[in-house]
Amino acid sequence: MNLAVDLHIHSGLSPCAENDMTPNNIIRMAKLKKLDAIAITDHNSTKNLKCFLKVAQKYDVLCIPGVEITTKEEVHLLALFDHLTKAMEFQEVLDDTLPKIKNNTELFGNQYVYDDEDNIVEDYNTLLINAISLTLKETIDEIVKIGGVPIPAHVDRHSFSIISNLGFISPELKLQIIEISKNYSYSDLLRKHPYLSNYKKIISSDAHCLGDILERDFFVSTSNKNIDEILNNL
């Protein structure tokens, strides 16, 4: 079967996301757009994953635990996990390596943690858009050690991508998949960087507002509708 997925969505915990990016709003929008699975990937935090997984069960939408990390080089890197416990284990890495700088809501926006009824239970205090103290390689190694899937985010962009910031993807990194933005020409990217054909690719929205969540634009072929199958077949 072909499952329609969007594996890069931010909730209201990400300070750059709209405040209506709540669990029920996002899951209902995914259902409206006939997506089979999504991943919640907030900046440097997994603190909203539990409520999203609970809401997703009500609507028969798979919700993959994830996070978008900003590494020491200011490269954005997705990490996807097959179980919430692994994401929570990675949260310990983030807690140890993210600078303890207070969020300024007037400059950066709120960082809302929700319950499964979209009630705000916390406006998280530590600014989440800073870079952690681990390098890209160190971060990838931590993800792989826990059993997650590391994916360089939006490699086509001119900022916060592995190519824009480092110039290329080192073959020494434990990477098999890259993420491309929806409206970017993959053929143009390959002309500039032919070696990228060696990597599998996903297309995601990097949605910070409800309208940006993908339609049925990108599919993963699986034999069963479950998280393990999706991650194994990316």
Side-chain angles (χ1 to χ4, degrees), residues 47-96:
K47 295 182 182 296
N48 263 342
L49 294 181
K50 185 176 181 179
C51 63
F52 269 90
L53 267 65
K54 188 173 182 179
V55 173
Q57 289 180 338
K58 301 177 187 177
Y59 293 93
D60 191 32
V61 175
L62 287 178
C63 187
I64 299 171
V67 64
E68 182 176 23
I69 308 118
T70 304
T71 71
K72 188 174 183 178
E73 304 91 341
E74 296 195 341
V75 170
H76 283 185
L77 178 72
L78 299 178
L80 303 178
F81 302 93
D82 60 9
H83 199 277
L84 180 61
T85 55
K86 293 181 181 179
M88 294 298 99
E89 185 177 349
F90 189 72
Q91 181 63 51
E92 296 177 13
V93 175
L94 295 170
D95 289 339
D96 289 340

Side-chain angles (χ1 to χ4, degrees), residues 97-114:
T97 57
L98 183 68
K100 302 302 186 287
I101 297 174
K102 185 177 180 180
N103 181 34
N104 184 328
T105 57
E106 292 185 2
L107 285 177
F108 303 110
N110 298 101
Q111 300 180 151
Y112 289 144
V113 179
Y114 303 99

Side-chain angles (χ1 to χ4, degrees), residues 169-181:
I169 301 178
S170 170
E172 297 179 358
L173 298 174
K174 297 175 183 177
L175 295 171
Q176 298 180 349
I177 308 165
I178 57 174
E179 182 196 52
I180 310 295
S181 302

Side-chain angles (χ1 to χ4, degrees), residues 3 20 46 79 88 108 112 117 122-123 140 165 177 195 211:
L3 301 182
D20 61 357
T46 64
M88 294 298 99
F108 303 110
Y112 289 144
E117 295 182 348
E122 182 182 1
D123 191 351
I140 291 170
N165 287 26
I177 308 165
Y195 70 91

Side-chain angles (χ1 to χ4, degrees), residues 5-8 10 68 76 78 151-164 177-189 196 200-208 212-215 217-218:
V5 303
D6 185 352
L7 302 181
H8 188 169
H10 293 268
E68 182 176 23
H76 283 185
L78 299 178
I151 305 173
H154 41 69
V155 300
D156 49 274
R157 293 190 187 170
H158 299 300
S159 60
F160 298 113
S161 79
I162 189 170
I163 293 176
S164 69
I177 308 165
I178 57 174
E179 182 196 52
I180 310 295
S181 302
K182 176 186 174 182
N183 295 318
Y184 194 87
S185 169
Y186 183 54
S187 58
D188 287 347
L189 190 65
L196 293 181
K200 300 175 183 178
K201 68 178 174 68
I202 64 170
I203 298 172
S204 309
S205 68
D206 189 12
H208 289 71
D212 285 346
I213 295 172
L214 288 187
E215 308 283 341
D217 297 310
F218 180 72

Side-chain angles (χ1 to χ4, degrees), residues 14 50 60 68 77 81 94 109 121 125-127 129 131 134 140 143 147 164 168 171 185 199 209 212 221 226-227 234:
S14 295
K50 185 176 181 179
D60 191 32
E68 182 176 23
L77 178 72
F81 302 93
L94 295 170
V121 297
N125 192 263
T126 301
L127 181 62
I129 57 173
L134 298 182
I140 291 170
I143 295 167
S164 69
F168 71 109
S185 169
Y199 295 88
C209 64
D212 285 346
S221 179
N226 62 57
I227 292 175
L234 289 179

Side-chain angles (χ1 to χ4, degrees), residues 24-53:
N24 284 276
N25 283 347
I26 290 176
I27 299 298
R28 286 171 180 166
M29 182 61 76
K31 190 71 174 178
L32 182 66
K33 294 190 173 189
K34 299 182 179 180
L35 294 176
D36 299 297
I38 63 170
I40 299 302
T41 53
D42 282 310
H43 288 293
N44 291 325
S45 181
T46 64
K47 295 182 182 296
N48 263 342
L49 294 181
K50 185 176 181 179
C51 63
F52 269 90
L53 267 65

